[in-house]
Amino acid sequence: MMLKVGMAIVAVVVLLSLLAPLIAPYDPTKRAGPPLSPPSAQYLLGTDNLGRDVWSRLLYGGQVIIGISLLATLLSASIGFSLGMISGYIGGRLDKVLNMVMDSMYAFPSLILAIAIASVLGPSPLNAALAIGVVYIPTYFRMARNETLVVKSSLFVEAAVSLGMPRRRIIFRHILPNLVPSLVVVATINIADAALTESALAFFGYTVTPPTPDWGLDLSSARSYIINGYWWLLAPGFFIVLTALGFSLLGEALGERIGKRGD
Amino acid sequence: MASLLRYAAYRVLLAIPTLIILLTVVFFILRVIPGNPIVAMVGMKAPPEYVEQLIKEAGLDKPLPVQYVEYMAQVFTGNLGRSLIFGRREVAAEIMDRLPATAELAVSAFIVSVLLGHVFGFLAARYGGRVDAGARLYAMVSYVLFIPFIGLALQLVFAVWLGWFPVAGRITPGLEPPRITGMYLLDSLLAGRLDSFIDALSHIVLPSVTLGLVLSGVFVRLIRNNMVKTLGEDFISAYRAMGFSERAVLWKAYRVAIVPTVTMMGLQLALLLQGAVLTETTFSWPGLGTLLLERIQYLDYTTVQGAVVVFVIIVVVLNVAADLINAVLDPRVRRGL
């Protein structure tokens, strides 16, 4: 059930944004009608303060948030996971230090760290992905390290060591495959977190520059108009929640399948 | 008592490396990555002489290792430098102006989330089945509620359409109570100003419900899981066999179940603080988060650095506090040294 709903949500959101050029009725960056028109047959979700079609902006904005979130997840997963696995396997002083650094970073609010990074790098989609990617490295590090410690003490690894198998081969052949299921679960759930952080950075103006649509950015421009009751401007916010929910449902369901819960 | 003191000393010592690591991470982000943060922040917008003067004042013309030592010395002596704008106030003073607002918001949101968490978590464990499934869904959905979205939605419904609460802000201008702690709710009570209290309360309802709602999902899960686990233990069966009423049994289980959740509360601090930054922005709440974001806009480098450093200190101190509370509640924690 959870798996199906999660998959359906993710599929819908991804498809809508991929198909944006085909299905968007208007150019998302250009005036399509009178400003602040309520939803109607002509403007499915109404128009914003500049007369741009909210539905078209929503479709194109999806490309930005999903693109940045996936890129960020790829970055933090590859760095955090390999560091955690290697550090956990080798152990020793380096492992102690790395573990302490990662634990400290993990305790700190990731969004505040991301804001600091984004503010010195300057607003751009790539910089936002970098900022988000960096702050989630500890999530993967902790998971990979903990699991490596468990697998390391299992009999088949001990056997491989006593057979004189080289360290690199043990890590790639015996440790890595055992960690992949957890990696998939943690990464799927993490996409939800990355999407929320991306939205927050967009809300503060650190992702794209106007008039390019991005859900968080569009929501922040809606702030000034909500006082007059223009409720349809909240549509991008609803899609942020929906996207994050889709990925968390999917991740949790996958976690239950393989008998492990994401952190 | 002796074991508690020893644990406290140990825990405080353990916090020092964390503090140094986080401060180093901040130093790395704000000074090493950008090469020259002031140029990065001011960009092409300012005349070069002005940029040079700012660089000198912030001590950024020195080699990085020297800067690092100076930065650490500054933080540990509580001297965060002067703001680069706005009458060149001390950064520490700017932060102290804003800190009480963030504390007030965070504490009230925390209370809201713990209340929601306990009620739904308890009900889920007590009734199981559909109630449990509903609580689980609630926990998942509340966690992904994007704060500006839920905040704006609550503003729309309860402030714009129903008119029950003010849309944003912390208090109606003119009603501020005399500053004692800086927390309006507390100060207005201490000064006996009922009008200020009611006004401040009506302003804090929507922001704290927004933030509390988002955090509550984690508590629902925690309380529910701990309750279910505790209800399955032998001593509960023993109580039941002894003929205690179901109510009494549940109460005993609940008291046992909430203890481990206190440690987990410490782990929610990061969520609480980053949520506060978003909530403050959504509700124009004049706290530390809005200070940070405003000053990034105004390119006030020293204040930005100061605000991030204060966030680091808050995280470290509150984590220690959460562990100490846990040690007071659970003797095993302090004996397990």
Side-chain angles (χ1 to χ4, degrees), chain A residues 118-119 122-124 128 198-210 214 216-218 220, chain B residues 293 297:
Chain A
S119 75
S124 92
E198 193 278 347
S199 306
L201 289 185
F203 188 75
F204 299 136
Y206 292 126
T207 57
V208 296
T209 32
D214 191 359
L217 187 67
D218 284 10
S220 93
Chain B
L293 289 156
Q297 298 278 307

Side-chain angles (χ1 to χ4, degrees), chain A:
Chain A
M1 172 67 182
M2 239 163 65
L3 187 72
K4 279 186 192 151
V5 175
M7 258 159 63
I9 295 176
V10 170
V12 166
V13 172
V14 171
L15 271 180
L16 282 179
S17 52
L18 281 181
L19 295 177
L22 297 176
I23 49 179
Y26 299 96
D27 182 334
T29 59
K30 298 222 169 68
R31 191 188 151 102
L36 298 166
S37 336
S40 61
Q42 200 180 357
Y43 310 107
L44 265 179
L45 283 170
T47 60
D48 67 6
N49 54 311
L50 297 172
R52 299 173 300 197
D53 183 46
V54 172
W55 172 238
S56 305
R57 286 186 70 77
L58 199 71
L59 293 172
Y60 278 96
Q63 298 182 343
V64 178
I65 176 175
I66 292 173
I68 293 179
S69 310
L70 288 182
L71 191 62
T73 305
L74 201 66
L75 185 78
S76 41
S78 45
I79 297 178
F81 182 79
S82 8
L83 267 183
M85 189 171 61
I86 294 169
S87 178
Y89 188 78
I90 294 177
R93 206 171 283 169
L94 179 79
D95 177 53
K96 271 210 177 101
V97 172
L98 261 179
N99 192 35
M100 213 162 183
V101 171
M102 293 292 172
D103 272 355
S104 309
M105 274 177 76
Y106 189 76
F108 194 72
S110 46
L111 176 61
I112 296 173
L113 218 51
I115 290 173
I117 300 175
S119 75
V120 294
L121 292 179
S124 92
L126 204 63
N127 288 346
L130 203 65
I132 302 164
V134 169
V135 300
Y136 287 115
I137 289 176
T139 308
Y140 295 92
F141 177 90
R142 286 160 53 104
M143 177 273 289
R145 181 177 177 271
N146 289 342
E147 300 238 333
T148 303
L149 291 181
V150 174
V151 180
K152 195 178 152 185
S153 60
S154 58
L155 274 178
F156 66 89
V157 173
E158 271 180 40
V161 173
S162 49
L163 282 173
M165 206 179 258
R167 197 189 252 172
R168 184 190 288 179
R169 202 175 142 86
I170 296 175
I171 292 182
F172 284 102
R173 268 301 182 65
H174 295 294
I175 309 265
L176 180 70
N178 283 292
L179 267 54
V180 169
S182 302
L183 175 65
V184 171
V185 172
V186 172
T188 313
I189 295 176
N190 186 234
I191 296 176
D193 282 309
L196 289 170
T197 307
E198 193 278 347
S199 306
L201 289 185
F203 188 75
F204 299 136
Y206 292 126
T207 57
V208 296
T209 32
T212 311
D214 191 359
W215 296 345
L217 187 67
D218 284 10
L219 196 62
S220 93
S221 33
R223 272 181 74 199
S224 332
Y225 299 92
I226 216 67
I227 298 162
N228 302 315
Y230 299 116
W231 57 268
W232 56 91
L233 296 180
L234 287 181
F238 176 76
F239 268 76
I240 293 171
V241 174
L242 193 68
T243 307
L245 182 66
F247 282 104
S248 0
L249 280 172
L250 191 59
E252 296 265 341
L254 287 175
E256 274 179 11
R257 283 274 155 110
I258 64 164
K260 275 172 189 147
R261 283 260 331 268
D263 192 11

Side-chain angles (χ1 to χ4, degrees), chain A residues 2 97 100-113 115-117 119-121 136 192-193 195-197 199-201 203-204 206 216 219-220 222-223 226-231 234-238 240-242 244-245 248-250 252 256 261, chain B residues 14 17-19 21-22 25-26 29-31 33-34 37 40-41 136-137 140-141 143-146 148-149 152-153 155-156 160-161 167 221 225 267 269-271 273-275 277-278 280-284 292-293 296-297 301 304 308 311-313 315 319:
Chain A
M2 239 163 65
V97 172
M100 213 162 183
V101 171
M102 293 292 172
D103 272 355
S104 309
M105 274 177 76
Y106 189 76
F108 194 72
S110 46
L111 176 61
I112 296 173
L113 218 51
I115 290 173
I117 300 175
S119 75
V120 294
L121 292 179
Y136 287 115
D193 282 309
L196 289 170
T197 307
S199 306
L201 289 185
F203 188 75
F204 299 136
Y206 292 126
L219 196 62
S220 93
R223 272 181 74 199
I226 216 67
I227 298 162
N228 302 315
Y230 299 116
W231 57 268
L234 287 181
F238 176 76
I240 293 171
V241 174
L242 193 68
L245 182 66
S248 0
L249 280 172
L250 191 59
E252 296 265 341
E256 274 179 11
R261 283 260 331 268
Chain B
L14 206 66
T18 308
L19 184 65
I21 289 169
L22 282 175
V25 170
V26 171
I29 291 171
L30 291 180
R31 304 244 182 143
I33 298 181
M41 282 191 144
R136 190 156 179 220
L137 186 68
M140 282 189 99
V141 174
Y143 179 78
V144 295
L145 286 178
F146 183 52
F149 168 66
L152 287 170
Q155 279 179 352
L156 183 70
V160 178
W161 287 343
V167 175
R221 261 194 183 181
N225 291 347
L267 295 176
L269 279 172
L271 275 182
L273 285 178
Q274 71 182 33
V277 173
L278 281 164
E280 285 176 9
T281 320
T282 310
F283 287 93
S284 314
L292 172 69
L293 289 156
I296 291 175
Q297 298 278 307
Y301 178 74
V304 170
V308 180
F311 272 118
V312 167
I313 296 170
V315 168
N319 264 311

Side-chain angles (χ1 to χ4, degrees), chain B:
Chain B
M1 196 58 213
S3 67
L4 188 62
L5 279 178
R6 221 180 54 202
Y7 177 81
Y10 165 78
R11 190 59 192 82
V12 169
L13 276 179
L14 206 66
I16 293 172
T18 308
L19 184 65
I20 292 175
I21 289 169
L22 282 175
L23 289 173
T24 308
V25 170
V26 171
F27 178 85
F28 193 80
I29 291 171
L30 291 180
R31 304 244 182 143
V32 183
I33 298 181
N36 197 321
I38 293 203
V39 175
M41 282 191 144
V42 181
M44 299 290 118
K45 294 171 209 158
E49 319 83 70
Y50 178 60
V51 173
E52 215 152 281
Q53 186 204 335
L54 289 183
I55 290 174
K56 238 197 176 107
E57 271 180 47
L60 300 177
D61 52 342
K62 296 170 189 153
L64 280 174
V66 178
Q67 283 188 40
Y68 182 73
V69 173
E70 282 185 358
Y71 159 87
M72 284 290 182
Q74 267 194 336
V75 173
F76 280 99
T77 52
N79 166 21
L80 296 169
R82 278 179 183 280
S83 160
L84 298 180
I85 50 157
F86 287 171
R88 325 285 333 261
R89 291 185 64 205
E90 293 259 356
V91 170
E94 298 257 14
I95 287 169
M96 285 318 291
D97 274 357
R98 300 294 197 98
L99 198 57
T102 300
E104 196 170 31
L105 173 64
V107 170
S108 21
F110 192 72
I111 294 172
V112 170
S113 71
V114 170
L115 280 177
L116 286 173
H118 280 242
V119 171
F120 288 121
F122 182 86
L123 291 177
R126 166 83 177 79
Y127 295 103
R130 284 219 179 137
V131 181
D132 195 14
R136 190 156 179 220
L137 186 68
Y138 170 88
M140 282 189 99
V141 174
S142 66
Y143 179 78
V144 295
L145 286 178
F146 183 52
I147 288 175
F149 168 66
I150 193 70
L152 287 170
L154 290 178
Q155 279 179 352
L156 183 70
V157 175
F158 293 100
V160 178
W161 287 343
L162 295 174
W164 291 356
F165 304 104
V167 175
R170 207 180 153 204
I171 199 159
T172 306
L175 280 178
E176 295 91 347
R179 188 181 168 110
I180 304 166
T181 60
M183 290 190 245
Y184 288 167
L185 286 176
L186 210 58
D187 288 357
S188 54
L189 281 183
L190 289 174
R193 291 271 305 271
L194 200 63
D195 52 341
S196 297
F197 180 76
I198 292 170
D199 191 72
L201 193 64
S202 72
H203 276 86
I204 207 171
V205 169
L206 290 183
S208 52
V209 167
T210 301
L211 183 52
L213 200 64
V214 175
L215 286 172
S216 65
V218 183
F219 290 112
V220 172
R221 261 194 183 181
L222 275 175
I223 303 283
R224 183 239 167 231
N225 291 347
N226 270 314
M227 269 298 276
V228 169
K229 209 176 108 202
T230 313
L231 283 172
E233 282 186 33
D234 289 345
F235 76 94
I236 293 297
S237 316
Y239 277 130
R240 286 217 171 97
M242 283 158 82
F244 277 98
S245 70
E246 187 60 22
R247 245 181 104 145
V249 172
L250 281 171
W251 174 240
K252 284 179 192 300
Y254 173 71
R255 277 180 38 194
V256 173
I258 58 173
V259 174
T261 63
V262 176
T263 337
M264 299 303 287
M265 283 185 189
L267 295 176
Q268 306 319 317
L269 279 172
L271 275 182
L272 179 68
L273 285 178
Q274 71 182 33
V277 173
L278 281 164
T279 312
E280 285 176 9
T281 320
T282 310
F283 287 93
S284 314
W285 190 264
L288 210 51
T290 38
L291 178 75
L292 172 69
L293 289 156
E294 262 166 45
R295 295 311 168 83
I296 291 175
Q297 298 278 307
Y298 288 119
L299 316 167
D300 182 2
Y301 178 74
T302 39
T303 310
V304 170
Q305 176 188 291
V308 180
V309 163
V310 169
F311 272 118
V312 167
I313 296 170
I314 294 174
V315 168
V316 173
V317 169
L318 291 184
N319 264 311
V320 173
D323 281 357
L324 290 184
I325 293 173
N326 197 38
V328 171
L329 291 176
D330 187 350
R332 282 172 305 182
V333 173
R334 50 186 199 250
R335 285 201 207 104
L337 272 182

